[in-house]
Amino acid sequence: MKRGVPAQQKDNRKTLNDFIKSINEADQNNDLIVDIAAGQGAPNAAMQSGGGFASMLEGSPMKQKTTMNFIVDGTTDIVIDVVK
């Protein structure tokens, strides 16, 4: 690698259809989401590699979500028992 020459950047452009699909599939504030935290026995090696905040939000292959029919206004504590 030569000094002073910037590395070539990835092309991050999306089509309009891909952008709309990602918005429609994004987690909502009334979704109940259960996932395995990185480093906690996650089977996916990419999860453990520290892909950053964006990959954490994307979740592991074990991610499950259920849309609830309410939205929490403010702050609340919810306890959920997760069984294997």
Side-chain angles (χ1 to χ4, degrees):
M1 183 170 120
K2 297 179 182 179
R3 290 183 173 252
V5 178
Q8 188 175 7
Q9 294 181 349
K10 285 193 332 187
D11 186 12
N12 291 332
R13 292 182 290 179
K14 295 182 180 180
T15 65
L16 180 58
N17 286 339
D18 289 341
F19 178 74
I20 292 172
K21 182 179 178 183
S22 69
I23 294 296
N24 288 334
E25 293 177 353
D27 297 335
Q28 306 293 318
N29 64 350
N30 62 331
D31 285 342
L32 187 61
I33 301 169
V34 177
D35 198 359
I36 296 176
Q40 301 298 315
N44 187 353
M47 283 293 294
Q48 297 176 1
S49 68
F53 188 67
S55 68
M56 183 184 76
L57 288 178
E58 187 177 312
S60 76
M62 306 296 228
K63 179 178 177 178
Q64 298 178 25
K65 66 180 181 178
T66 301
T67 301
M68 306 302 288
N69 62 353
F70 61 86
I71 297 176
V72 176
D73 185 22
T75 306
T76 190
D77 292 329
I78 299 174
V79 177
I80 302 169
D81 292 327
V82 179
V83 238
K84 249 184 172 178

